[in-house]
């Protein structure tokens, strides 16, 4: 199967500054699903009563849930299928509350043509404020056998 | 509510070397749920036909899904509710395949008593081989107002 047919951007067509974004409103359904999947039933995520008495004042989303949108952008948009996720750093700057709309953005910072690596800046924002910052490294194999 | 009642370990009782682990067998149900939650429908995760022709030879789990087990360990075991996730780095070393049992382990590396920060080594293994390595920083507030 041709990866390009599934939306992959060829390594040679990737340039610094290229950017893609995805937005999702975080709801109770997301948080409960993620708690079940990860096993993270920290009451600050699942109990309104506990969260009301916490430093956050109300329930917050799991930080790693919003980070999943970076993976979605790499795996389906830029560069798309066929790429290999090498590393990701995440700095959790602010909480994400229920009904917040998270916008995840990945932007090409630099490229190592010899090693076929693409280095990205990765950001999640809510209302223009950064909630997660970080960086990612993606490897784009020449062929399946690399 | 007393955080300790929910399983939190007080900052003063945390020492380098303390370790907790969690194991989960990754199934198709996990992968489909994570794809729906994150939007990452990369065919290497959801299409056996595509994955068979990929470098991995068969479907693999989303790397960030396994990372969620770190969050679960911090949020429910060590230190438990009340802690603040400051940062996480992730190096994806090997793929996780369907029916692999992932063991996530977080181990206290060092402590900054003044800033009330705990620094962890975070590892996911499958059959004793590292699939994700990284580090995390956790802040343990003195009270809700810190």
């Amino acid at each position: 199967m041709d990866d390009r047919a599934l939306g992959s951007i060829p390594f040679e067509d990737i340039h610094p500054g290229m950017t893609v974004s995805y937005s999702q409103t975080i709801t109770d359904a997301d948080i409960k699903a993620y708690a079940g999947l990860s096993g993270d039933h920290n009451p600050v995520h699942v109990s309104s009563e506990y969260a009301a008495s916490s430093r956050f004042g109300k329930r917050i989303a799991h930080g790693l849930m919003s980070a999943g949108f970076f993976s979605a952008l790499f795996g389906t948009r830029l560069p798309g299928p066929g790429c290999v996720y090498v590393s990701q750093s995440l700095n959790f700057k602010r909480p994400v509350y229920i009904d917040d709309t998270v916008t995840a953005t990945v932007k090409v910072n630099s490229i190592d043509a010899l090693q076929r690596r693409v280095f990205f800046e990765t950001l999640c924002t809510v209302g223009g404020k950064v909630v997660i910052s970080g960086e990612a490294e993606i490897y784009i194999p020449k062929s399946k056998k690399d």
Side-chain angles (χ1 to χ4, degrees), chain A:
Chain A
M1 194 177 294
D2 179 6
D3 278 344
R4 202 178 303 198
L6 287 150
S8 299
I9 298 177
F11 181 73
E12 295 69 20
D13 293 352
I14 296 175
H15 303 290
M18 285 176 82
T19 302
V20 289
S21 294
Y22 172 76
S23 294
Q24 183 167 315
T25 304
I26 304 299
T27 64
D28 178 56
D30 294 318
I31 292 171
K32 294 289 178 56
Y34 191 82
L37 191 66
S38 66
D40 189 352
H41 287 83
N42 184 332
V44 79
H45 303 308
V46 298
S47 164
S48 296
E49 193 176 277
Y50 174 89
S53 72
S54 76
R55 60 191 279 108
F56 299 111
K58 53 185 179 174
R59 288 168 57 204
I60 61 171
H62 304 76
L64 280 170
M65 182 166 65
S66 297
F69 305 141
F70 300 143
S71 168
L73 288 167
F74 295 135
T76 66
R77 302 273 305 280
L78 177 64
C83 75
V84 177
Y85 210 171
V86 178
S87 70
Q88 175 74 59
S89 65
L90 301 163
N91 300 297
F92 303 105
K93 305 300 235 182
R94 289 184 179 82
V96 172
Y97 296 102
I98 294 178
D99 292 332
D100 277 355
T101 298
V102 172
T103 297
T105 302
V106 305
K107 178 182 174 182
V108 178
N109 258 349
S110 62
I111 294 166
D112 179 338
L114 198 64
Q115 302 290 328
R116 298 181 65 89
R117 307 287 169 134
V118 185
F119 299 90
F120 287 86
E121 179 188 0
T122 59
L123 281 182
C124 281
T125 59
V126 171
K129 287 191 175 170
V130 173
V131 293
I132 302 176
S133 66
E135 297 183 340
E137 178 180 346
I138 299 288
Y139 167 50
I140 303 183
K142 222 173 204 168
S143 76
K144 285 177 292 185
K145 295 189 187 73
D146 291 343

